[in-house]
Amino acid sequence: MADTRQRLIDGAIDTIRAHGLTGATARGIAATAGVNQALVFYHFGSVNELLKAACLAATRARVEPFAERLDEVTDLRQLLALGRTLHAEERDRGNVMVLAQLLSGAQTDPDLAEATSASLQLWITPIERALSRLLASSPVAELIDTAGLARAVSAGFIGLELYEGVDADGAKAALDALDRLGVLIEVVDDLGPVAVRALRGKLRRTAKNLR
Amino acid sequence: MADTRQRLIDGAIDTIRAHGLTGATARGIAATAGVNQALVFYHFGSVNELLKAACLAATRARVEPFAERLDEVTDLRQLLALGRTLHAEERDRGNVMVLAQLLSGAQTDPDLAEATSASLQLWITPIERALSRLLASSPVAELIDTAGLARAVSAGFIGLELYEGVDADGAKAALDALDRLGVLIEVVDDLGPVAVRALRGKLRRTAKNLR
DNA sequence: GTCTATAACGCGATAGAC
DNA sequence: GTCTATCGCGTTATAGAC
């Protein structure tokens, strides 16, 4: 069957989610998928190749519906709320955890690093698009680097997902705090030209400290 | 010798940094430490126990000098700059990476989760203390949850460290974007009572959405 | 406290029958 | 395309000499 490939990919995702990257062995994945262990190597050549395919598949499956909802967001508060919804859904689905596990493994595996970076980029692209759209009409638009901010948001979210795995209460408190911080941004957004000019001046003065 | 314990802990830290959590085996750690493999089990009982001890040691070694510098910070821009300095230093030392690796492994290991959560708390505590001090004189002090924010900052920093391992340029862009965002907070901080009242009203309106 | 030797097992990967 | 069987190796952990 041609769907043995798919069963192995799904099995890899489920195994990583349940037992982490260290538990994602050819035998373990094959058992979860309900297929023979040798088929991992027939279809993917090596365990690493299967993991890379699974990481991209898990991320794509999650980013695509997320990107649609992202396009419907009209302000920053909604954007934060969507992030929070995503986090709640991920507690059950756990596809971001697959990415987090491989991101961790990628630190000492250049081969894995390439696939992981590409998966992360799948998140970054629609988030950057949404940020650019939401900030386009804002007076602070030109002062914010949406490309960098999208990367910070994506990477930070991965960190929060990992933190949630060891301290659920702490992660909740962290998300609440970010909600409040989001309000600050909106207030700046509504300030008018005088404060924006002050902001611009402040940024220019600190710009030389950025490299 | 009594310092065989210490050599094993240092060996564990170096091994995790160089080869990740999957490469941190009893044989590999002992080789790095220059001692016999059986001593891992004599001194720590199991590899996991050694890893837990190493995680706490690596974090403590990094947090203590950091906490001192943290106490000298007088505004948010300096706080961000210190975070950036820390990040630059960590590229060489890599102690945060040890924590990141174990945080990843802790997702499917409750025993590891406890030690990892405790290590992360070592970061959170001085950061929360600094945030409380810096925001105490600010008009937005009561509107910001410093406890949650310290957790978000710490977890987010771990995520950025992991991201840096697979996309150094992207991580740099992310940090630059956060620098700019820091200026926004300062501007709000300097607004005066009128804007603060607007902020307070906005927060009250959105407070019911927070749970 | 440190060493050698080894037990018991799981791992990635392959050969070859079907 | 799928299976069984297996090789060679690395793993945790322990037993026992020193």
Side-chain angles (χ1 to χ4, degrees):
Chain A
M1 299 179 200
D3 79 332
T4 295
R5 268 188 72 96
Q6 191 56 49
R7 292 182 65 172
L8 279 169
I9 288 177
D10 294 340
I13 293 172
D14 292 344
T15 306
I16 291 174
R17 180 164 39 210
H19 304 107
L21 189 59
T22 60
T25 67
R27 285 171 163 80
I29 292 170
T32 304
V35 304
N36 190 277
Q37 171 258 155
L39 295 178
V40 168
F41 305 97
Y42 176 80
H43 285 286
F44 293 92
S46 72
V47 175
N48 239 0
E49 287 300 317
L50 169 54
L51 294 179
K52 285 159 61 180
C55 179
L56 281 165
T59 305
R60 261 196 285 263
R62 200 78 194 93
V63 167
E64 280 178 18
F66 177 75
E68 288 182 14
R69 291 193 276 176
L70 209 49
D71 288 338
E72 296 167 3
V73 165
T74 57
D75 59 49
L76 285 174
R77 290 285 302 159
Q78 284 183 20
L79 183 62
L80 278 165
L82 179 55
R84 189 125 198 189
T85 301
L86 175 70
H87 171 75
E89 291 176 5
E90 279 301 316
R91 204 177 349 239
D92 298 326
R93 300 172 183 256
N95 286 1
V96 168
M97 188 49 58
V98 174
L99 176 55
Q101 289 290 312
L102 267 81
L103 184 61
S104 173
Q107 301 296 314
T108 53
D109 183 339
D111 181 40
L112 224 51
E114 200 175 357
T116 310
S117 178
S119 295
L120 209 44
Q121 191 62 45
L122 292 179
W123 282 108
I124 292 168
T125 300
I127 291 173
E128 180 179 351
R129 179 155 31 94
L131 284 175
S132 295
R133 181 168 53 82
L134 294 180
L135 296 173
S137 61
S138 160
V140 297
E142 58 185 300
L143 309 177
I144 290 183
D145 174 27
T146 53
L149 194 56
R151 281 161 176 77
V153 167
S154 301
F157 191 81
I158 302 280
L160 277 169
E161 287 291 310
L162 285 171
Y163 180 45
E164 215 262 345
V166 302
D167 184 358
D169 292 340
K172 189 188 155 309
L175 285 166
D176 285 342
L178 291 180
D179 268 333
R180 286 183 163 77
L181 214 60
V183 179
L184 289 184
I185 298 178
E186 279 204 338
V187 168
V188 173
D189 215 36
D190 294 343
L191 284 181
V194 177
V196 170
R197 213 171 306 133
L199 177 67
R200 214 180 298 249
K202 250 192 185 291
L203 190 75
R204 200 172 301 124
R205 252 171 285 136
T206 55
K208 53 177 92 55
N209 296 334
L210 306 179
R211 53 152 41 255
Chain B
M1 298 178 203
D3 79 333
T4 295
R5 269 188 70 96
Q6 191 56 48
R7 292 181 66 172
L8 279 169
I9 287 177
D10 293 340
I13 292 171
D14 292 343
T15 306
I16 291 174
R17 181 165 37 212
H19 304 107
L21 189 60
T22 60
T25 68
R27 282 171 159 81
I29 293 170
T32 304
V35 304
N36 190 277
Q37 169 259 158
L39 295 177
V40 169
F41 304 96
Y42 175 80
H43 285 286
F44 293 92
S46 71
V47 175
N48 238 0
E49 286 300 316
L50 170 55
L51 294 180
K52 284 158 61 179
C55 180
L56 280 165
T59 305
R60 261 196 285 264
R62 201 76 194 96
V63 167
E64 279 177 19
F66 177 75
E68 288 182 15
R69 291 193 276 175
L70 209 48
D71 288 337
E72 297 167 3
V73 165
T74 57
D75 59 48
L76 284 173
R77 290 285 302 161
Q78 284 183 21
L79 183 62
L80 277 164
L82 180 55
R84 188 124 199 190
T85 302
L86 175 71
H87 171 75
E89 291 176 6
E90 279 300 316
R91 204 178 347 239
D92 298 326
R93 300 171 182 255
N95 286 2
V96 168
M97 188 50 57
V98 174
L99 176 53
Q101 290 289 313
L102 268 81
L103 184 61
S104 173
Q107 300 297 313
T108 53
D109 184 338
D111 181 40
L112 224 52
E114 200 175 356
T116 310
S117 179
S119 296
L120 209 44
Q121 191 61 46
L122 292 179
W123 281 108
I124 292 169
T125 300
I127 290 174
E128 180 179 350
R129 177 157 32 93
L131 283 174
S132 295
R133 181 170 53 82
L134 293 180
L135 296 173
S137 60
S138 160
V140 297
E142 58 185 299
L143 310 177
I144 289 183
D145 174 28
T146 52
L149 194 56
R151 283 161 175 78
V153 167
S154 301
F157 191 82
I158 303 281
L160 278 169
E161 287 290 310
L162 285 172
Y163 180 45
E164 214 260 344
V166 302
D167 184 358
D169 292 340
K172 188 188 154 307
L175 285 166
D176 285 343
L178 291 179
D179 269 333
R180 286 183 162 76
L181 213 59
V183 180
L184 288 184
I185 299 178
E186 279 204 338
V187 168
V188 173
D189 215 37
D190 294 342
L191 284 182
V194 176
V196 171
R197 211 171 307 134
L199 178 66
R200 215 181 297 250
K202 251 191 183 294
L203 191 74
R204 201 171 299 124
R205 253 172 282 136
T206 56
K208 54 176 91 54
N209 297 334
L210 306 178
R211 55 152 36 260

